[in-house]
Amino acid sequence: MPSKSVILTIDQGTTSTRAIVFDETAEPLGSAQKELTQIFPRSGWVEHDPVEIAESAIGVARQALQTANASVDDVAAVGIANQRETTVVWESSTGRPLSNAIVWQDHRTAEICNEISDAGLADDIWSRTGLIVDPYFSATKMRWMLDHLPIPNLQGRAENGDVRFGTVDTWLIDQLSRGERSGRISDAPRYDVPHLTDVTNASRTMLLNIHDLTWDPDLLRIFGIPEAALPTPMPSAGTFTTVHASIFGREIPVTGVAGDQHAALYGQACFTRGDMKCTYGTGAFLLANAGANVDLFTGASGSGEMSTADLDEANAGLLFTLGWQSGGAKTYALEASIFNTGSTTQWLRDGLGILSNAADSSDVAVMLGDNAGVYLVPAFSGLGSPHWDPHARASITGISRGTTRDHIIRAALESTAFQVKEVVDIMDSRLRVSRRGNRRERVIRVDGGQTRNPFLMQFQADLLDRPIEVSAVDETTALGAAFLAGRAAGVWRTERELADLWRCAHRYEPDMSQSERIRLMAGWNEALRRTKTNFRG
Ligand code: ADP
C-alpha cells in the first residue's frame, strides 16, 4: 500500500480506455485497460457508445486502484486525458445520450466542410482557431447532429440549454459527477451537474477563439451552434468537479483534464518553447511548445487579419493549438497530425501478409543496409500534415527487378521517419529555433508503439540530425494528465519539479552524413510528388 498521495488517471482513447495510478515520483503503480467497441454504421462513419465510454472509464479506474494496491483514501486527485474532437450529445437533466458519439475519424461531414471552404470561410476560420477545415474537428459533427438526429426540436432544445454538447472530457466530467445507482450511471434528473471542458479540448472543436479562449460568436453563427449547449472552457489544471461518492466510495476531485496529445506534450515535460514530442502510434502526432504568445501564429500580435498568401505561409500545413493552460498562464503548441505511420506496418502484416509481426521489421531493415531507391508513401486515407490532401492514395515507387519484400518493409518504416522529418523542419522554421550558432542540442522526446523499433528510431535521429529520447514511461498521455492533476492538487508545485521526474529509457544519437540525408530526402520528395493530387511545387 503506497504511503503517499497517488494520482488516478483515466486515458480514454479511440480504441481503448486505460487507467493508471501514479505515485508522487511519477512511477506507475498499477493500470487497467478495456477495449472500446468501434461502430461503423456506414462507410466513412465511426461511432462510439457514450455509455460504454463512461462505464469503461469507471471500470478501469477501479481495477487500476486494485492492481496498484491503492486505497481510495490515497488518491489525491483524478486526471483525465481523452481522444480529441469526438463529439457527444446528451440530455442536460438526466445525462442520457441522445445518440452515439461521432468519432474524430468519421468523415460524414465532408460535404459540410466543402461548403464552408467553397464559401471562402477557411482562412477566417484558420485565423481564429488555428485549424484547417476538415471533418476531423467537432463543429461540423455538432451541426450534423442538429440537422440529422431524429429528435423533435433539437435546435430549440440546444438553444434552451436542454441538451448538452461535449467532447469526451466533458462527457466524462458530467457522468463522473452524477454518480451511480444500481450499478449504472444515475439518470435521475439533476440540474447542478457541471458542464465543463478544458481549453485544449475546446481548441479542437473549431468553435474556440484561440486568441482569447472563449467561444467565438462568429464561428457559433457560421456553424449554427447555440452557446447554451456548449461547456464552459476551463484551464487544464484546476478543479473541474468531484467524482460522486457512489463511484469510488468517497468524493475525489478531478483537477487535470487535457486532450491526449496535449497531455502527452505535458507528460514529456516539454515546458520550454521549441521543445517537441512525437507520439508514434497508428499515426504520428508531433507537437511543439510554441510559447505563450500567438504572434508566431498571426505574424502580428492578435487580430488575425491576414491575406491568403500570409496564411499559407504562416500555417504551412500545421495546426496551431493550445498546449495547456495552468492557472492564468497559457502555452500554445504547433501540431502536425500524420495519419499513417504504424498503420503501414499493420498493412504489411495484415494486408500484404509479408511480415509476421511488427517487431521483426527492424532486423529486416537493418540487414538490408539501404532502401535501394524504393519509397513507400502511405497515403492510405489521404495525407494529413503538412499536405492535407484527402484524395491522395498510397504508392510504392522505385521498384526494380532486384526489389524484394524486404525493401518494401524497409521503405514502410522509413516512410514514418520521412513524414516526421518534413514537419519537424517546418516547425523549426516556424519557431525560428536554429541550431546553427546555438550548440544547445535539440532533443525530440518520443513515445508510442513504433518507438519499440530500433531501426526506425535510429533512422529518425539520423534523418533529423538530432538526438531522440524514448520516455521511460510509455504512457506519457496518462502521465501528462497526472502531472496536470497533481499540480492543481498540490502534489507537485513547479514545472521544474515535473521536468526532474521525467526519465529516459533510451537515447538515439544521429550518425549520418549531410549528403546522405539530402539524397534520401530528394528521393522521398520525388515519391511524394508522384503521389499527391494537389502538388503545388
Ligand atoms: P495507438 O495508440 O495508435 O493504437 P500504439 O502506441 O499502441 O498506437 O502503437 C501501435 C502501433 O505501433 C501499431 O500500428 C503497430 O504496427 C506499431 N508497432 C508496434 N510495435 C512496433 C515495432 N516493434 N515496430 C514497428 N511498429 C510497431
Side-chain angles (χ1 to χ4, degrees):
M1 163 96 78
S3 56
K4 297 173 183 153
S5 298
V6 301
I7 308 284
L8 170 62
T9 59
I10 296 168
D11 174 7
Q12 204 300 302
T14 310
T15 54
S16 72
T17 307
R18 291 179 249 213
I20 304 184
V21 176
F22 291 96
D23 72 9
E24 55 185 16
T25 67
E27 199 60 47
L29 299 179
S31 65
Q33 175 166 356
K34 191 166 192 302
E35 295 302 310
L36 193 68
T37 311
Q38 309 293 310
I39 304 164
F40 304 109
R42 294 190 201 179
S43 163
W45 291 29
V46 188
E47 298 182 354
H48 289 159
D49 173 0
V51 172
E52 185 183 344
I53 287 178
E55 290 183 348
S56 69
I58 294 169
V60 293
R62 287 186 179 132
Q63 277 176 35
L65 284 171
Q66 270 175 11
T67 58
N69 200 17
S71 129
V72 73
D73 292 326
D74 299 323
V75 181
V78 170
I80 297 173
N82 57 284
Q83 54 166 320
R84 307 174 299 170
E85 298 100 10
T86 297
T87 304
V88 190
V89 62
W90 64 99
E91 190 173 58
S92 306
S93 58
T94 60
R96 280 191 211 123
L98 297 174
S99 72
N100 277 339
I102 302 184
V103 176
W104 59 274
Q105 297 149 319
D106 189 293
H107 268 74
R108 79 184 65 179
T109 63
E111 197 45 48
I112 306 178
C113 292
N114 288 341
E115 284 165 20
I116 286 169
S117 298
D118 291 348
L121 296 169
D123 290 349
D124 186 35
I125 290 175
W126 193 84
S127 67
R128 290 164 193 266
T129 63
L131 305 178
I132 288 164
V133 175
D134 192 275
Y136 184 13
F137 305 106
S138 315
T140 58
K141 301 182 196 296
M142 293 181 194
R143 186 66 254 155
W144 188 94
M145 285 170 158
L146 286 167
D147 288 338
H148 294 96
L149 291 182
I151 295 164
N153 190 28
L154 187 56
Q155 183 82 27
R157 291 183 67 191
E159 280 161 18
N160 296 336
D162 196 21
V163 299
R164 291 178 166 185
F165 281 112
T167 38
V168 167
D169 55 313
T170 304
W171 170 244
L172 289 176
I173 290 166
D174 179 292
Q175 298 291 288
L176 293 171
S177 308
R178 284 178 199 271
E180 284 188 333
R181 214 169 49 158
S182 319
R184 307 292 305 258
I185 290 157
S186 167
D187 60 0
R190 274 184 58 184
Y191 299 92
D192 59 346
V193 174
H195 189 206
L196 303 171
T197 186
D198 101 290
V199 289
T200 68
N201 277 292
S203 76
R204 313 299 292 190
T205 57
M206 204 171 257
L207 297 171
L208 190 84
N209 186 305
I210 200 162
H211 305 276
D212 61 16
L213 309 189
T214 59
W215 300 122
D216 187 299
D218 293 324
L219 294 175
L220 296 179
R221 193 175 35 72
I222 289 169
F223 291 100
I225 311 296
E227 191 169 355
L230 293 177
T232 305
M234 306 271 287
S236 328
T239 302
F240 285 80
T241 187
T242 47
V243 181
H244 195 274
S246 57
I247 293 181
F248 296 121
R250 102 172 152 79
E251 288 190 340
I252 309 176
V254 178
T255 58
V257 176
D260 50 13
Q261 298 305 325
H262 315 255
L265 186 69
Y266 204 78
Q268 290 278 26
C270 291
F271 299 135
T272 305
R273 187 174 182 278
D275 286 352
M276 287 184 196
K277 74 89 196 173
C278 189
T279 300
Y280 295 85
T282 311
F285 293 87
L286 181 79
L287 271 78
N289 182 324
N293 299 314
V294 286
D295 54 343
L296 167 78
F297 165 61
T298 58
S301 58
S303 74
E305 293 293 318
M306 297 178 83
S307 70
T308 305
D310 286 344
L311 275 167
D312 273 355
E313 209 279 321
N315 74 29
L318 302 179
L319 306 175
F320 195 77
T321 195
L322 247 295
W324 59 84
Q325 188 185 15
S326 175
K330 51 188 176 182
T331 300
Y332 287 99
L334 278 175
E335 173 172 331
S337 313
I338 299 169
F339 296 146
N340 289 289
T341 59
S343 57
T344 315
T345 329
Q346 281 168 349
W347 176 69
L348 297 184
R349 193 193 58 195
D350 306 334
L352 283 191
I354 62 171
L355 192 65
S356 50
N357 69 70
D360 294 348
S361 61
S362 185
D363 286 347
V364 170
V366 170
M367 293 289 285
L368 215 49
D370 185 65
N371 69 12
V374 178
Y375 290 86
L376 189 162
V377 181
F380 299 111
S381 49
L383 290 166
S385 299
H387 308 289
W388 298 100
D389 184 349
H391 306 295
R393 287 297 173 265
S395 69
I396 303 176
T397 55
I399 297 175
S400 69
R401 277 292 277 119
T403 301
T404 65
R405 158 200 98 108
D406 292 359
H407 291 100
I408 294 172
I409 293 172
R410 179 162 173 140
L413 291 177
E414 287 189 353
S415 72
T416 293
F418 287 127
Q419 292 183 95
V420 170
K421 161 78 173 162
E422 283 185 279
V423 289
V424 168
D425 285 352
I426 299 170
M427 282 196 185
D428 271 348
S429 70
R430 292 298 103 212
L431 291 160
R432 295 179 189 86
V433 174
S434 167
R435 280 176 297 151
R436 277 197 209 96
N438 167 8
R439 298 308 303 162
R440 188 176 155 235
E441 60 176 4
R442 309 275 322 144
V443 173
I444 299 192
R445 291 186 164 173
V446 303
D447 51 80
Q450 282 188 299
T451 64
R452 290 194 287 272
N453 191 296
F455 164 78
L456 173 57
M457 291 298 105
Q458 184 58 52
F459 187 72
Q460 184 74 86
D462 290 344
L463 213 52
L464 292 170
D465 193 22
R466 47 208 285 183
I468 286 190
E469 289 182 349
V470 184
S471 166
V473 175
D474 192 39
E475 302 286 350
T476 53
T477 302
L479 182 61
F483 278 174
L484 287 165
R487 274 206 68 189
V491 175
W492 300 295
R493 305 213 175 273
T494 63
E495 285 174 353
R496 178 77 260 154
E497 232 180 292
L498 299 177
D500 289 344
L501 294 174
W502 188 89
R503 284 180 302 281
C504 176
H506 196 95
R507 184 177 159 109
Y508 293 87
E509 296 290 346
D511 181 22
M512 180 184 271
S513 69
Q514 179 67 354
S515 58
E516 176 68 351
R517 201 173 291 124
I518 290 170
R519 188 183 70 78
L520 287 165
M521 283 314 292
W524 169 256
N525 284 327
E526 175 56 21
L528 257 183
R529 193 183 65 76
R530 296 179 189 199
T531 309
K532 287 172 66 174
T533 60
N534 65 2
F535 191 75
R536 285 178 292 176

